[in-house]
Amino acid sequence: MREMSKGANVGLASLSEDASSVFVSLSWSSAAGDGDADVSVLLLDGSGKVRSDADFYFYNHPAADDGSVQLLGKTPTENGSEDRIGLDLTAVPQDVVSIVVAASQYGTATFGDLDDLRMTVSDRSGEALLGFAIADATIETAFIFGELYRRNDEWKFRAVGQGYETGLAGLATDFGIDVVEDEESEGTEPESDGDTAASAVARTEQQTAAAVPAQATPEAGRSGAVPEAAAVTPAASGRRRGPRTAKKKVTLPRVAKKSLAENESWKPARLFPVPSYKSDREREVRATSVLLSVMAEVPEFGRRLTAAFGAPAGRMQTFTEVSLPHGDTPRRPDGVIRVERAGKLWTALVETKTNGNPLKSEQVQDYMDIAARRGYEAVITLSNDVALEGSPLVDVKVDGRRKHKVALWHLSWAEVAHQAQMLIRHEGVGNAAHAWLLEELLHYLQHENSGCHGFQNMGPAWVPVRNGIDSETLCQGDPRAVEVVESWERLIRQVCLRLGGELGQKALPVQRAKRGTDPKSRRTALADRLCEEGRLSAEVRIDGANGILAISADLRTGKLRTSVDIPAPDSGYPLTVAKRLVRVLAEAPADLHVETLVEGGNGPRGTLERLRPEPGDLLPKDGAPIAGFRLSLFKGMGGSRGSTESGFIRSVDDAVDRFHGSVVTHLGQLERRAPRQRSASDPATTD
């Protein structure tokens, strides 16, 4: 991989034999574990501006109809998060001469708050071609990381690293995006939450309080020089307009309609019934057929699952039980996905496992070899297991002598259910029939007989490790402890998928590790800590939540702890703050533990049951200032390694659901409550 310096450029053809489609990754990390940003892509013509607002791709406009641009979403990394973008350079219109890749912060955050700002460009097989790191970010709220541009019918890359102090509004105005002013939209409510460039910029302006009118000069707010291909003139904005409406998308209500059945024994008819299967093979065949058929019929869902694997946006067809020649004995992959765009075919072979059955390396290896010989692009494995960075589910060998490269990808059934739920509950699909199909798929996946329930087994090392911790015979360096740490990480990632699907928000695990720490050594260190302390710990960051959700499993005491640290409100007397916290937690369990956080020591603590009549017990006796509060719930954890009623996995799910639903969801009221305005006649103290 070639490392780029700021301002340097290179031709993609010199780095790869096949650079017609590339993946662009923007990544960053945060020492606090809560940093984030939104990526955006702009297509520019010869004047250095967008041809229209439709050339601006962001979170509410993630893909081009021609498949040239696809925002593939955010994935957690070892130290932060990564946003991936798929670019099909053969589909980019001829009048587009450059593609600008940028990111913007929201609220009062700046890129100086983030570490390890980096852009990576990879070919269609996932092999990294070049990287560019930004080390001088300070107060910028938007950054152009880099651009891909045409020179003599060849695509080249330039490392830009240009920052803006005026956020997304300043960046967008530079490239000809019309910014909607607040007064234009007064009294006008758009049909959707906004999927136009103007509305996205307007929202960002309100969040950052840094609105820039469309007639602002491009020099305003810049912290870096403009590269050659990005030099533009100010956007003319003589016309004024309000937000544009978009076609309403269909979501399903959370509350089901009243049933017309006479009693509970009447079961509704289902498109995908789930009878008692006689074998795991029957489960695999049916699950594959059900999933692939819905992917082909619901374009939004099919693209959501395949875009991250490099599939273009186009007509999708799916097949099952396809016989493909392989030596003396033909092979039958569980499924085949084909996507056609502009006369070109993208093909992926699918290998499915259900009911917790593991993937077989030799089987996947055969499919990789077949795909390479036939010129297919990918092999997709699908099982209840969750893939981890640095810990592959199957070991396959790639023949480096072959010119054609095949990418190996993995999907968990939990991720499939997550994407279906996000579409039908939160983001919407094109019509009611598509929503119904996804609802039937989701019901099938969640049925106890489907075998598609996601990660359900902590593995064979779970019981020996628990027994070793209980008897104090487990030693550091035991490989079984590493297996348990990996299973714990898979479980937490699945918890994030389930929470995100329920809430419609991003939920990501927080990885706190030193920079440059590889996954294997990080898990080894966590395994040694498990042997010493007997505890498994994790943190989850949920967009919009007040604080980071912490989960701890103490294998010595058999207790699960879910907790969150929240800062004290900026305004209000200490006693007023304590009373307000108790009122906000009116629906929380009585056994919730509340601890006052003070600098340099421990503060008062007690259960909510004891504190409700006496909130003043939360105040430090020495009058020390309150920094915040720690809220915790404890419950017993299951002993078995599975997800049955008495299983460990079920107990973790239940603990997280109880804590989030009864505690975390109510904490936003603590900050939203406006401080009381005192008049001149008010006494100097209250309460």
Side-chain angles (χ1 to χ4, degrees), residues 208-251:
T208 60
V212 178
Q215 64 268 25
T217 61
E219 287 77 11
R222 292 189 187 178
S223 62
V226 182
E228 172 191 350
V232 295
T233 57
S237 59
R239 53 195 175 95
R240 297 165 61 87
R241 64 181 184 187
R244 288 177 274 173
T245 60
K247 182 180 179 181
K248 197 81 169 181
K249 290 191 173 182
V250 177
T251 57

Coordinates of all heavy atoms in Angstrom, one line a residue, residues 208-251:
T208 N -24.8 23.2 14.3 CA -23.5 23.7 14.6 C -23.5 25.2 14.9 O -22.5 25.8 15.3 CB -22.5 23.5 13.4 OG1 -23.1 24.1 12.3 CG2 -22.4 22.0 13.2
A209 N -24.7 25.9 14.7 CA -24.8 27.3 14.8 C -23.8 28.0 14.0 O -23.3 29.1 14.4 CB -24.7 27.7 16.3
A210 N -23.5 27.5 12.8 CA -22.5 28.1 11.9 C -23.1 28.2 10.5 O -22.4 27.9 9.6 CB -21.2 27.3 11.9
A211 N -24.3 28.7 10.4 CA -24.9 28.8 9.1 C -24.2 29.8 8.2 O -23.8 30.8 8.6 CB -26.4 29.2 9.3
V212 N -24.0 29.3 7.0 CA -23.3 30.2 6.0 C -24.3 30.4 4.8 O -24.7 29.4 4.2 CB -22.1 29.5 5.5 CG1 -21.4 30.3 4.4 CG2 -21.1 29.3 6.6
P213 N -24.7 31.6 4.5 CA -25.6 31.8 3.4 C -24.9 31.5 2.1 O -23.7 31.5 2.0 CB -26.0 33.3 3.5 CG -24.8 33.9 4.2 CD -24.4 32.9 5.2
A214 N -25.8 31.2 1.1 CA -25.2 30.7 -0.2 C -24.3 31.7 -0.9 O -23.6 31.4 -1.8 CB -26.4 30.3 -1.1
Q215 N -24.4 33.0 -0.5 CA -23.6 34.0 -1.2 C -22.3 34.2 -0.5 O -21.5 35.1 -0.9 CB -24.4 35.3 -1.3 CG -24.7 36.0 0.1 CD -26.0 35.6 0.6 OE1 -26.5 34.5 0.2 NE2 -26.6 36.4 1.4
A216 N -21.9 33.4 0.5 CA -20.7 33.6 1.2 C -19.5 33.3 0.3 O -19.6 32.5 -0.6 CB -20.6 32.7 2.4
T217 N -18.4 33.9 0.5 CA -17.2 33.6 -0.3 C -16.6 32.3 0.1 O -16.6 32.0 1.2 CB -16.2 34.8 -0.2 OG1 -15.8 34.8 1.2 CG2 -16.8 36.1 -0.6
P218 N -16.0 31.6 -0.9 CA -15.4 30.3 -0.6 C -14.2 30.4 0.4 O -13.8 29.5 1.0 CB -15.0 29.8 -1.9 CG -14.8 31.0 -2.8 CD -15.8 32.0 -2.3
E219 N -13.6 31.6 0.5 CA -12.4 31.7 1.4 C -12.8 31.7 2.9 O -12.0 31.5 3.7 CB -11.6 33.0 1.1 CG -10.8 33.0 -0.2 CD -11.7 33.1 -1.4 OE1 -12.9 33.5 -1.3 OE2 -11.2 32.9 -2.5
A220 N -14.1 32.1 3.1 CA -14.5 32.2 4.5 C -14.5 30.9 5.2 O -15.1 29.9 4.8 CB -15.9 32.8 4.6
G221 N -13.7 30.8 6.3 CA -13.7 29.6 7.2 C -12.8 28.6 6.8 O -12.7 27.5 7.4
R222 N -12.0 28.7 5.8 CA -11.1 27.7 5.4 C -9.8 27.6 6.3 O -9.4 28.7 6.7 CB -10.6 27.8 3.9 CG -11.7 27.7 2.9 CD -11.1 27.6 1.5 NE -12.2 27.6 0.5 CZ -12.0 27.6 -0.8 NH1 -10.7 27.7 -1.2 NH2 -13.0 27.6 -1.6
S223 N -9.3 26.5 6.4 CA -8.0 26.3 7.2 C -6.9 25.7 6.3 O -5.9 25.4 6.8 CB -8.2 25.5 8.4 OG -8.6 24.2 8.1
G224 N -7.2 25.5 5.1 CA -6.1 24.9 4.2 C -6.3 25.5 2.8 O -7.3 26.1 2.4
A225 N -5.3 25.3 2.0 CA -5.3 25.8 0.6 C -6.2 25.0 -0.3 O -6.3 23.8 0.0 CB -3.9 25.9 0.1
V226 N -6.7 25.6 -1.3 CA -7.6 24.8 -2.2 C -6.7 24.2 -3.3 O -5.9 24.8 -3.9 CB -8.6 25.8 -2.9 CG1 -9.5 25.1 -3.8 CG2 -9.3 26.6 -1.9
P227 N -6.9 22.8 -3.4 CA -6.1 22.1 -4.5 C -6.6 22.5 -5.9 O -7.6 23.1 -6.0 CB -6.4 20.7 -4.2 CG -7.7 20.6 -3.5 CD -7.7 21.9 -2.7
E228 N -5.8 22.1 -6.8 CA -6.0 22.6 -8.2 C -7.4 22.2 -8.7 O -8.2 23.1 -9.2 CB -5.0 21.9 -9.1 CG -5.3 22.1 -10.6 CD -4.4 21.2 -11.5 OE1 -3.5 20.6 -10.9 OE2 -4.7 21.1 -12.7
A229 N -7.9 21.0 -8.5 CA -9.1 20.5 -9.0 C -10.3 21.0 -8.2 O -11.4 21.0 -8.6 CB -9.2 19.0 -9.1
A230 N -10.1 21.6 -7.0 CA -11.1 22.0 -6.1 C -11.3 23.5 -6.1 O -12.2 24.0 -5.4 CB -10.9 21.5 -4.7
A231 N -10.5 24.2 -6.9 CA -10.6 25.7 -6.9 C -11.9 26.1 -7.6 O -12.1 25.8 -8.8 CB -9.4 26.3 -7.6
V232 N -12.8 26.8 -6.9 CA -14.1 27.1 -7.5 C -14.4 28.6 -7.2 O -13.8 29.2 -6.4 CB -15.2 26.2 -6.9 CG1 -15.0 24.8 -7.3 CG2 -15.3 26.3 -5.4
T233 N -15.5 29.1 -7.8 CA -16.0 30.4 -7.5 C -17.2 30.3 -6.7 O -17.8 29.3 -6.6 CB -16.3 31.1 -8.9 OG1 -17.3 30.3 -9.5 CG2 -15.1 31.3 -9.7
P234 N -17.6 31.4 -6.0 CA -18.8 31.4 -5.1 C -20.0 31.0 -5.9 O -20.2 31.2 -7.1 CB -18.9 32.8 -4.6 CG -17.5 33.4 -4.8 CD -16.9 32.7 -6.0
A235 N -20.9 30.3 -5.2 CA -22.2 29.8 -5.8 C -23.1 31.0 -5.9 O -23.4 31.7 -4.9 CB -22.8 28.7 -5.0
A236 N -23.7 31.2 -7.0 CA -24.8 32.2 -7.2 C -26.1 31.7 -6.6 O -26.5 30.6 -6.9 CB -24.9 32.5 -8.7
S237 N -26.7 32.5 -5.8 CA -27.9 32.0 -5.2 C -29.0 33.1 -5.2 O -29.5 33.5 -4.2 CB -27.7 31.6 -3.7 OG -27.1 32.6 -3.0
G238 N -29.3 33.6 -6.4 CA -30.3 34.7 -6.5 C -31.7 34.2 -6.1 O -32.5 35.0 -5.7
R239 N -32.0 32.9 -6.3 CA -33.3 32.4 -6.0 C -33.4 31.9 -4.6 O -32.4 31.4 -4.0 CB -33.7 31.3 -7.0 CG -32.7 30.2 -7.1 CD -32.9 29.3 -8.3 NE -31.9 28.3 -8.4 CZ -32.0 27.1 -8.0 NH1 -33.1 26.7 -7.3 NH2 -31.0 26.2 -8.1
R240 N -34.6 32.0 -4.0 CA -34.8 31.5 -2.7 C -35.9 30.4 -2.7 O -36.8 30.5 -3.5 CB -35.3 32.7 -1.8 CG -34.3 33.8 -1.6 CD -35.0 35.0 -1.0 NE -35.6 34.8 0.3 CZ -35.0 34.9 1.4 NH1 -33.7 35.2 1.4 NH2 -35.6 34.7 2.6
R241 N -35.7 29.4 -1.9 CA -36.6 28.3 -2.0 C -36.7 27.6 -0.6 O -35.8 27.7 0.2 CB -36.2 27.3 -3.0 CG -34.9 26.6 -2.7 CD -34.5 25.6 -3.8 NE -33.3 25.0 -3.3 CZ -32.6 24.1 -4.1 NH1 -33.1 23.9 -5.3 NH2 -31.6 23.5 -3.6
G242 N -37.8 27.0 -0.4 CA -38.0 26.2 0.8 C -37.6 24.8 0.6 O -37.1 24.4 -0.5
P243 N -37.7 23.9 1.6 CA -37.3 22.5 1.4 C -38.2 21.8 0.4 O -39.4 22.0 0.4 CB -37.5 21.9 2.8 CG -38.4 22.9 3.5 CD -38.2 24.2 2.9
R244 N -37.6 20.9 -0.4 CA -38.3 20.1 -1.3 C -38.9 18.9 -0.7 O -38.3 18.3 0.2 CB -37.4 19.8 -2.5 CG -37.1 20.9 -3.4 CD -36.1 20.5 -4.5 NE -34.7 20.5 -4.0 CZ -33.7 20.1 -4.6 NH1 -33.9 19.5 -5.8 NH2 -32.5 20.1 -4.1
T245 N -40.1 18.5 -1.2 CA -40.7 17.3 -0.7 C -40.2 16.1 -1.4 O -39.7 16.1 -2.5 CB -42.2 17.3 -0.8 OG1 -42.5 17.5 -2.2 CG2 -42.8 18.5 0.0
A246 N -40.2 14.9 -0.7 CA -39.8 13.7 -1.4 C -40.9 12.6 -1.2 O -41.8 12.8 -0.4 CB -38.6 13.1 -0.7
K247 N -40.9 11.6 -2.0 CA -41.9 10.6 -1.9 C -41.9 9.9 -0.6 O -40.9 9.5 0.0 CB -41.7 9.5 -3.0 CG -42.7 8.4 -3.0 CD -42.4 7.4 -4.1 CE -43.5 6.3 -4.1 NZ -43.2 5.3 -5.2
K248 N -43.1 9.8 0.0 CA -43.2 9.2 1.4 C -42.8 7.7 1.3 O -43.3 7.0 0.5 CB -44.6 9.4 1.8 CG -44.8 9.2 3.3 CD -44.4 10.4 4.1 CE -44.9 10.3 5.5 NZ -44.5 11.6 6.3
K249 N -42.0 7.3 2.3 CA -41.6 5.9 2.4 C -42.5 5.2 3.4 O -43.1 5.8 4.3 CB -40.2 5.7 2.8 CG -39.2 6.1 1.6 CD -37.8 5.7 2.0 CE -36.9 6.0 0.8 NZ -35.5 5.5 1.1
V250 N -42.7 3.9 3.2 CA -43.6 3.1 4.0 C -42.9 2.4 5.1 O -41.9 1.8 4.9 CB -44.3 2.1 3.1 CG1 -45.2 1.2 4.0 CG2 -45.1 2.7 2.0
T251 N -43.3 2.6 6.4 CA -42.9 1.9 7.5 C -44.1 1.3 8.2 O -45.2 1.7 8.0 CB -42.1 2.8 8.5 OG1 -43.0 3.8 8.9 CG2 -40.9 3.4 7.9

